[in-house]
């Protein structure tokens, strides 16, 4: 008998939603409050809320399985096509879809589409043969293999087994273990339809016979070494990074529990703006994300973005992305970016928003010019990027 689909609590990021008191059980409300306070603001029924539940996403989008009977699905306010484009840039996927082939109507379809691409490409690589590498091994053997440890042999001349150091070519390496773990995570998400889930299972089973299943974090997918024999793994690991980056730990125990899938939209916006600028900023400039500024041995800051003059290496612009849409810039944000600019002796400080502010900012703070600019997510991303770049670098573009 097919189990009933869980009841869905649907939210939109940064938007408050009210629900009747009997729609959400008290136990579910307690789990949301205890386990997902960083993701969701929750008000229990009280006179202030007219005895209704009030929930508001804090900028995460995706799926949270609270219990087998209750899920929360948080939808992005960004158009889905643009969300796909943001992911493509932020994770350097560089998937060349034919025109009209990336149209998705929901976040679930984006997840499914990328999961299917990953599984299909892993199956394709399995058919060609998994990439193998030589790993160093040390074993006591009844025969000589590789280099014999002479000191060990002389210390125990009666031992018929010799300690040997040798290299063995194997497919059970990190490159492939990352793929297996990611497919395992996708299989537990519960977000894919049966047709895609079947492909994911098929790819996972194709790896199972060769690869040890072990957990990885998304950081394992960054700065890996690629060459002629494993160049196609670059896309595979980029996709793995997306899934591992946005899959959170389950607050329940047991292998059958579904895992939450949540995209931090503020982090994604920061990554997207950085990668778009790296790809499109004109010659003469260098874009550096996550620049570290040390104030003393125990305290440092990471600045979202800086832009240098490529010849002098002087910092020309300090940028801080703000994934929110206030009427005007908060004083705290001004003080923060001015501090960044002072630390780097930079005279241009930019706060980047996804929507136009009702009261845009363009002021002088001592010798530092502080501006608010918009990299919009509401329309074509490339056109929005060009508009943003023209505002940022007005005297450098043709």
């Amino acid at each position: 008998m097919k189990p009933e689909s869980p009841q869905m609590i649907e939210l939109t990021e940064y938007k408050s939603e009210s629900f009747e008191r009997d729609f959400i059980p008290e136990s579910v409300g307690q789990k949301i409050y205890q386990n997902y306070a960083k993701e969701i603001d929750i008000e229990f029924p009280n006179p202030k809320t007219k005895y209704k539940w009030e929930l508001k996403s804090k900028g995460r989008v995706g799926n949270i399985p609270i219990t087998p009977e209750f899920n929360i699905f948080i939808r992005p306010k960004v158009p889905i096509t643009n969300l796909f484009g943001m992911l493509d840039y932020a994770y350097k996927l560089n998937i060349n879809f034919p025109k009209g082939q990336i149209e998705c109507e929901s976040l679930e379809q984006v997840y499914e589409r990328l999961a299917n691409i990953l599984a299909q490409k892993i199956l394709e690589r399995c058919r060609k043969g998994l990439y193998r590498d030589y790993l160093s091994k040390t074993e006591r053997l009844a025969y000589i293999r590789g280099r014999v440890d002479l000191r060990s042999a002389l210390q125990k001349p009666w031992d018929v087994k010799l300690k040997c150091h040798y290299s063995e070519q194997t497919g059970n390496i990190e490159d492939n273990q990352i793929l297996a773990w990611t497919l395992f995570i996708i299989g537990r998400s519960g977000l894919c339809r049966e047709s895609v889930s079947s492909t994911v299972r098929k790819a996972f089973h194709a790896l199972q016979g060769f690869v040890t299943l072990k957990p990885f974090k998304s950081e394992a997918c960054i700065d890996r070494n690629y060459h002629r024999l494993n160049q196609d793994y670059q896309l595979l690991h980029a996709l793995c990074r997306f899934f591992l980056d946005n899959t959170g730990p389950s607050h329940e125990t047991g292998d059958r529990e579904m895992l939450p899938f949540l995209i931090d939209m503020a982090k994604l916006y920061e990554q997207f703006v950085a990668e778009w600028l790296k790809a499109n900023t004109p010659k003469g400039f260098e874009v550096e994300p996550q620049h570290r500024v040390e104030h003393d041995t125990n305290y440092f800051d990471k600045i979202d973005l800086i832009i240098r003059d490529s010849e002098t290496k002087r910092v020309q612009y300090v940028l801080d992305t703000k994934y929110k849409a206030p009427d005007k810039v908060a004083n705290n944000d001004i003080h923060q970016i001015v501090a960044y600019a002072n630390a780097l002796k930079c005279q241009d400080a930019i706060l980047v928003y996804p929507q136009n502010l009702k009261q845009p900012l363009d002021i002088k703070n001592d010798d530092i010019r502080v501006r608010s600019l918009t990299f919009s997510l509401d329309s074509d991303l490339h056109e929005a990027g060009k508009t943003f770049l023209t505002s940022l670098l007005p005297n450098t573009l043709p």
Side-chain angles (χ1 to χ4, degrees), residues 328-347:
K328 63 180 182 178
V329 177
N331 287 332
N332 287 344
D333 292 339
I334 297 173
H335 297 323
Q336 182 184 49
I337 198 160
V338 167
Y340 290 164
N342 275 321
L344 296 176
K345 297 180 172 56
C346 173
Q347 294 184 328

Side-chain angles (χ1 to χ4, degrees), residues 17 20 50 80 92 96 116 121 140 143 168 184 188 199 201 227 253 261 302 312 336 359 386:
E17 298 284 356
E20 294 298 329
K50 298 180 180 179
I80 290 295
K92 303 177 187 177
N96 296 316
N116 192 51
K121 288 191 174 293
R140 302 193 75 87
Y143 54 89
E168 183 179 64
F184 176 72
R188 290 183 64 189
T199 307
R201 286 194 299 270
H227 46 75
T253 57
F261 175 76
K302 278 192 176 180
T312 65
Q336 182 184 49
Q359 298 178 39
K386 288 198 296 184

Side-chain angles (χ1 to χ4, degrees), residues 117-297:
I117 290 169
L118 176 62
Q120 294 282 8
K121 288 191 174 293
I122 290 174
L123 285 170
E124 183 182 319
R125 180 69 210 213
C126 286
R127 285 191 288 269
K128 292 192 299 184
L130 292 173
Y131 171 60
R132 294 169 178 266
D133 201 359
Y134 286 95
L135 295 183
S136 298
K137 298 188 75 172
T138 299
E139 282 186 295
R140 302 193 75 87
L141 303 172
Y143 54 89
I144 295 176
R145 182 175 183 184
R147 181 172 59 83
V148 176
D149 189 326
L150 291 177
R151 176 178 290 183
S152 176
L154 291 172
Q155 286 174 344
K156 298 180 180 180
W158 61 86
D159 194 341
V160 296
K161 289 191 174 181
L162 300 172
K163 188 177 182 181
C164 299
H165 305 282
Y166 63 95
S167 294
E168 183 179 64
Q169 192 180 43
T170 175
N172 192 20
I173 56 176
E174 270 200 6
D175 276 12
N176 296 318
Q177 291 167 350
I178 290 170
L179 306 183
W181 179 251
T182 305
L183 291 173
F184 176 72
I185 290 296
I186 293 170
R188 290 183 64 189
S189 72
L191 291 175
C192 298
R193 291 170 299 174
E194 179 54 32
S195 57
V196 175
S197 293
S198 175
T199 307
V200 170
R201 286 194 299 270
K202 190 176 177 182
F204 179 70
H205 292 317
L207 291 170
Q208 247 185 328
F210 302 95
V211 175
T212 302
L213 186 65
K214 54 186 287 189
F216 285 92
K217 294 184 177 180
S218 63
E219 289 82 0
C221 305
I222 302 171
D223 295 330
R224 301 193 66 82
N225 183 36
Y226 300 104
H227 46 75
R228 180 177 58 84
L229 298 177
N230 71 342
Q231 191 60 46
D232 56 336
Y233 276 70
Q234 192 162 1
L235 171 58
L236 299 181
H237 290 151
L239 287 164
C240 289
R241 181 187 167 201
F242 161 70
F243 289 108
L244 297 178
D245 226 4
N246 299 297
T247 301
S250 174
H251 289 284
E252 305 294 332
T253 57
D255 290 339
R256 296 189 180 184
E257 293 294 338
M258 290 169 56
L259 294 172
F261 175 76
L262 288 166
I263 298 175
D264 184 336
M265 291 300 293
K267 181 181 175 184
L268 176 61
Y269 185 60
E270 178 189 325
Q271 289 177 225
F272 162 68
V273 172
E275 293 302 328
W276 193 94
L277 283 175
K278 283 166 74 174
N280 295 281
T281 298
K283 289 182 179 180
F285 295 97
E286 295 176 356
V287 178
E288 183 184 333
Q290 288 294 293
H291 179 77
R292 179 171 168 142
V293 176
E294 294 191 7
H295 302 285
D296 56 47
T297 54

